[in-house]
Amino acid sequence: MHNVVIIGSGPAGLTAAIYAARANLSPLLIEGWQSGGQLTTTTDVENYPGFANGIMGPELMKNMRAQAERFGTEFLIGDVTSVALETRPFAIAIDGERTVHAKTLIIATGASAIPIGLKNEARLTGHGVSTCATCDGFFFKGKELLVVGGGDSAIEEAIFLTKFATRVSVVHRRDKLRASKIVQDRAMHNEKIAFIWNSVVEDILGTDVVTGARLKNVVTGKLTDLPCAGIFIAIGHRPNTALFAGRLEMDEAGYIQTRDGAATNIPGVFAAGDVQDSTYRQAITAAGSGCMAAIDAERFLETTGHNL
C-alpha cells in the first residue's frame, strides 16, 4: 500500500515525486521503460529557469530524478497495463504481472509523437524515419534530411540536425511557421535549412532504408520526389490516456480534464503535465502542475485522514 503512486517520469511526474517525498508521503513512481519523458529526446533546454546557459534535456531529467530519489522516492521500472479506479485503494498493474495499491494516484503519462499515418512510415521507422533528432541525428552525418512540421519542436529539430546534415529541408503544410519568433529567426538565418511551403508528405520512398519523400503541394496538387536519407516527423503529440478512457473525464482530443488544481472527476486521482495540458506543453508548466498535483494529493490524504 502506498500513499501516493505516480505514473510517469517526465518533469510533471518527477516534480510531483519531489514534493510528495518532501511531505513524507514515500511516493512510488512508475517510470516505464523509457525514463524521463519527452525531454530525454530534446537537445538544449534554454527556457527552464535557473540555467543561464541552458541545459541538455537528458541531463535535466537525470538531475530531477536524482533529486526525487534523494528525498526518498521509490522507483519502479515497467509499463502500467491496467488501472482499477472504481474504489480506493486504486489498483495499478505493471506489465500484467505485479499489482500495487495506492491511496492517491497522480497521472503524469505525458504525450506521444503523432505519426503521419503512411504505410511506409511504420515500415521504415528506425531505417530512416525518426521522431527524435537527438536520438538519431548522429547517424546521418553528411546526408540530406527532411523535417516535417512547423512548430517549435520541428524547427528546433531542424536546427539540431544541421550539426550533422549537409542540408535540412523543412516541409510545412502552410505558408508560415507556428514556431516562436526566436526559433524561426535562428532557422531562417541557418544556411543549411531550406523551407518547402504548402506541402505535405504523400509517401516515403525506399525499400530497406529511406531514399526520399514524395511531396504534394496542397495548393497546386503537384507531386515532387525529394531525395533524402532521413525523415524526422514533428507534427504534434497526443496524450497518453488510453488506460483511462471511459473513466476519467477528457476533452475531445483525449486530454484529461482537471479542476480545482490537479483534481480529476475521481476523488484521489490527480493529473499533471502534458497529459492534461493541450495549450502550453512546456517543461516548466509540466513541473508546476506536478507540484500542484502533489500538494493536492497531500491535502486529500490529510482531509481523509489517510483512511480508505
Side-chain angles (χ1 to χ4, degrees):
M1 176 66 65
H2 298 272
N3 290 316
V4 181
V5 169
I6 302 163
I7 306 176
S9 56
L14 288 172
T15 303
I18 292 168
Y19 274 78
R22 282 175 54 82
N24 293 323
L25 294 176
S26 303
L28 169 69
L29 188 147
I30 304 170
E31 56 183 333
W33 292 105
Q34 182 181 353
S35 177
Q38 293 181 61
L39 276 187
T40 58
T41 64
T42 303
T43 51
D44 293 325
V45 178
E46 297 180 323
N47 55 5
Y48 199 91
F51 300 94
N53 298 316
I55 184 171
M56 296 295 286
E59 183 181 1
L60 178 61
M61 299 320 300
K62 180 181 178 181
N63 291 346
M64 281 191 181
R65 191 186 189 282
Q67 189 175 4
E69 190 172 30
R70 172 192 166 201
F71 291 117
T73 299
E74 179 185 351
F75 291 88
L76 179 60
I77 298 175
D79 289 328
V80 175
T81 49
S82 66
V83 178
L85 302 178
E86 293 75 22
T87 59
R88 294 176 62 231
F90 308 119
I92 301 105
I94 297 98
D95 294 324
E97 299 175 352
R98 175 180 176 181
T99 300
V100 297
H101 295 89
K103 296 179 182 178
T104 61
L105 176 65
I106 297 176
I107 300 167
T109 47
S112 298
I114 297 174
I116 299 173
L118 302 173
K119 179 181 178 181
N120 287 336
E121 178 183 9
R123 184 175 64 82
L124 291 171
T125 293
H127 301 278
V129 174
S130 175
T131 59
C132 177
T134 54
C135 304
D136 302 325
F138 175 82
F139 301 108
F140 295 93
K141 284 187 174 181
K143 305 292 185 180
E144 292 194 7
L145 302 176
L146 185 150
V147 173
V148 185
D152 278 344
S153 295
I155 305 309
E156 287 170 357
E157 294 229 324
I159 294 170
F160 175 77
L161 289 170
T162 59
K163 296 179 180 180
F164 311 102
T166 56
R167 182 180 180 86
V168 178
S169 298
V170 176
V171 177
H172 187 42
R173 64 169 52 247
R174 299 180 179 84
D175 60 359
K176 61 178 64 175
L177 299 173
R178 293 179 289 107
S180 58
K181 188 65 167 59
I182 189 171
V183 174
Q184 287 192 46
D185 288 345
R186 289 176 184 171
M188 297 292 183
H189 289 90
N190 191 315
E191 60 183 15
K192 285 189 175 183
I193 296 178
F195 294 90
I196 302 175
W197 305 108
N198 298 315
S199 298
V200 296
V201 177
E202 188 81 356
D203 195 9
I204 296 174
L205 309 177
T207 302
D208 298 318
V209 297
V210 169
T211 58
R214 180 158 297 152
L215 307 181
K216 178 181 179 180
N217 186 293
V218 297
V219 177
T220 65
K222 181 181 178 181
L223 295 177
T224 306
D225 287 353
L226 178 69
C228 63
I231 298 175
F232 290 80
I233 300 167
I235 58 175
H237 296 82
R238 63 167 58 96
N240 299 321
T241 54
L243 273 174
F244 314 101
R247 287 176 287 178
L248 293 178
E249 291 181 358
M250 303 178 188
D251 64 15
E252 293 180 355
Y255 288 88
I256 296 173
Q257 293 189 317
T258 54
R259 67 203 73 180
D260 300 324
T264 69
N265 59 297
I266 296 180
V269 178
F270 307 90
D274 287 6
V275 77
Q276 55 83 51
D277 174 20
S278 62
T279 303
Y280 302 104
R281 295 181 296 178
Q282 300 295 309
I284 186 63
T285 52
S289 65
C291 164
M292 293 164 56
I295 293 175
D296 288 350
E298 178 187 5
R299 290 174 177 171
F300 178 85
L301 290 169
E302 287 176 351
T303 57
T304 58
H306 288 244
N307 295 320
L308 298 176

